[in-house]
Amino acid sequence: MAVFTEVSFEEAQKLMRRLNLGELRDLRGIEGGIENTNYFASSEQDGVLNHYVLTLFERLSAQQLPFYLYLMKHLAHAGIPVPDPQGDANGDVLHAVCGKPAAVVNRLAGKSQLAPEAVHCAALGEMLARMHLAGRDYAREQPNLRGLPWWNETVPVVLPYLAPEQAELLRAELAFQNHTAASSDYAALPRGPVHADLFRDNAMFEGERLTGFFDFYFAGVDTWLFDVAVCLNDWCIDWTSGRHDEAKAQALVQAYDAVRPFTAAERALFPALLRAGALRFWISRLWDFHLPREASMLKPHDPTHFERVLRDRVQQAWRP
Ligand SMILES: Nc1ncnc2c1ncn2[C@@H]1O[C@H](COP(=O)(O)OP(=O)(O)OP(=O)(O)O)[C@@H](O)[C@H]1O
Ligand SMILES: N[C@@H](CCO)C(=O)O
């Protein structure tokens, strides 16, 4: 259930009119998602029915949101299929509904491909590279707020909940990542705005055609390779064992490389960044699981999944 704040038809109608999006015809709460209140909203303009998503931000502040919303706008204008936040007469894309920060974006066609084949991984890789290139001239700066400083802060908080062998792995991996981040290869990695959470449920497909990426609310400026690693760790593994899937991984990285060739430093750091991608989600899932937010309605994801992925990545140093 992902309607934490009820929005009335009248309230939504008022916003759609203010954004010059026509007359609201349908408003339906969306069930998926755990972070925000989301509604599908359809409105009619000049006899045409257009489809939008209205989001009320339950966690993010009005200070953090412009980076995400204007990034989506920038990418959409560059031809990347991402939801385009709708502006008012002043061009502002951050609105307020029921006292919460809110946005209206266009609704992407298609549905998530939760059991992707190599062909879907290739489509993802190609679009991810195009998205990275399109983000190069985005002017706003915001770091990945779930990056190394957050890992260093959060690991001591979750350690008391772990069994000794888990705590040992977590501590050792954090030390390894701090060491990696201080290396010259790491300093040489190309960077820019990244999605940072591009799991299978944050992309849409119609058949084999990728129709878009959404849910940019963990985006930030980080290494492009981190984004690739997060994708490989979710799209190109065996979902039960957490093991690397060679055919899917090759499909993803070859399609990416054909658009934006990997540098020597990136090739050298593939194994370390795959580990970083697994560590990031192991930590956040441990944190959500052991320290749930007050009044939270979310069902935490299974942290042990990313412990398995991390162990697999430590055991097998994979590079394309
Ligand atoms: N722009 C969009 N176009 C089409 N569908 C969308 C769009 N935005 C959201 N949705 C639908 O709404 C659902 C919930 O959205 P989302 O995943 O962004 O939820 P959330 O609570 O914000 O985040 P999280 O995935 O972290 O729980 C998605 O699974 C998708 O079906
Ligand atoms: N993709 C994250 C959830 C936050 O979007 C996870 O699977 O842990």
Side-chain angles (χ1 to χ4, degrees), residues 106-176:
N106 59 300
R107 180 176 174 178
L108 300 170
K111 55 183 183 1
S112 293
Q113 176 51 265
L114 297 179
E117 300 294 339
V119 64
H120 303 104
C121 297
L124 170 75
E126 183 200 329
M127 192 60 75
L128 184 65
R130 286 181 48 198
M131 184 179 83
H132 288 164
L133 294 177
R136 277 180 306 186
D137 55 351
Y138 182 57
R140 285 171 196 259
E141 280 277 337
Q142 187 159 285
N144 170 5
L145 299 174
R146 290 278 187 274
L148 186 64
W150 186 79
W151 310 346
N152 280 317
E153 237 170 72
T154 310
V155 162
V157 178
V158 298
L159 273 175
Y161 299 95
L162 301 188
E165 71 279 6
Q166 292 176 309
E168 194 187 313
L169 174 66
L170 190 57
R171 265 199 224 98
E173 189 57 32
L174 185 62
F176 173 76

Side-chain angles (χ1 to χ4, degrees), residues 89-106:
N90 300 320
D92 289 337
V93 294
L94 183 57
H95 316 294
V97 173
C98 304
K100 302 261 164 79
V104 176
V105 302
N106 59 300

Side-chain angles (χ1 to χ4, degrees), residues 30 32-36 38 53 83 105-108 204 214-215:
I30 304 180
I34 57 173
E35 292 281 348
N36 298 309
N38 286 300
V53 174
V105 302
N106 59 300
R107 180 176 174 178
L108 300 170
M204 295 291 199
F214 63 102
D215 202 1

Side-chain angles (χ1 to χ4, degrees), residues 10-289:
E10 290 67 36
E11 193 101 23
Q13 171 70 286
K14 228 167 48 191
L15 179 62
M16 299 306 268
R17 284 191 186 145
R18 205 162 69 70
L19 302 183
N20 205 13
L21 296 176
E23 288 302 296
L24 186 65
R25 295 289 179 234
D26 190 40
L27 183 70
R28 262 178 308 130
I30 304 180
E31 290 201 349
I34 57 173
E35 292 281 348
N36 298 309
T37 290
N38 286 300
Y39 282 87
F40 287 133
S42 302
S43 66
E44 192 179 332
Q45 196 159 41
D46 305 327
V48 179
L49 200 60
N50 295 309
H51 304 288
Y52 299 96
V53 174
L54 164 65
T55 301
L56 271 61
F57 300 99
E58 304 286 350
R59 177 179 63 87
L60 293 164
S61 70
Q63 283 69 43
Q64 295 164 332
L65 284 162
F67 175 85
Y68 309 117
L69 295 173
Y70 287 104
L71 174 61
M72 289 155 75
K73 197 160 224 4
H74 178 92
L75 295 173
H77 282 193
I80 308 299
V82 304
D84 187 6
Q86 305 294 305
D88 61 17
N90 300 320
D92 289 337
V93 294
L94 183 57
H95 316 294
V97 173
C98 304
K100 302 261 164 79
V104 176
V105 302
N106 59 300
R107 180 176 174 178
L108 300 170
K111 55 183 183 1
S112 293
Q113 176 51 265
L114 297 179
E117 300 294 339
V119 64
H120 303 104
C121 297
L124 170 75
E126 183 200 329
M127 192 60 75
L128 184 65
R130 286 181 48 198
M131 184 179 83
H132 288 164
L133 294 177
R136 277 180 306 186
D137 55 351
Y138 182 57
R140 285 171 196 259
E141 280 277 337
Q142 187 159 285
N144 170 5
L145 299 174
R146 290 278 187 274
L148 186 64
W150 186 79
W151 310 346
N152 280 317
E153 237 170 72
T154 310
V155 162
V157 178
V158 298
L159 273 175
Y161 299 95
L162 301 188
E165 71 279 6
Q166 292 176 309
E168 194 187 313
L169 174 66
L170 190 57
R171 265 199 224 98
E173 189 57 32
L174 185 62
F176 173 76
Q177 292 300 334
N178 276 294
H179 179 73
T180 301
S183 69
S184 53
D185 269 344
Y186 188 84
L189 293 178
R191 342 173 107 245
V194 299
H195 185 289
D197 188 27
L198 196 40
F199 281 51
R200 288 160 289 153
D201 59 356
N202 284 334
M204 295 291 199
F205 282 89
E206 275 181 331
E208 291 177 357
R209 192 174 68 87
L210 177 68
T211 53
F213 298 153
F214 63 102
D215 202 1
F216 277 76
Y217 306 117
F218 281 113
V221 173
D222 205 336
T223 64
W224 285 338
L225 189 58
F226 180 75
D227 227 8
V228 175
V230 169
C231 291
L232 284 166
N233 282 344
D234 185 62
W235 294 69
C236 308
I237 60 165
D238 174 77
W239 296 294
T240 314
S241 65
R243 290 249 168 82
H244 168 77
D245 182 312
E246 182 65 18
K248 288 177 190 162
Q250 288 295 352
L252 193 159
V253 299
Q254 281 172 21
Y256 185 101
D257 189 72
V259 177
R260 206 277 299 170
F262 291 111
T263 64
E266 287 181 308
R267 288 189 179 274
L269 282 184
F270 250 96
L273 272 276
L274 284 165
R275 289 167 61 165
L279 177 68
R280 182 268 183 240
F281 288 97
W282 189 26
I283 297 172
S284 63
R285 287 185 174 197
L286 284 170
W287 190 60
D288 285 341
F289 189 85

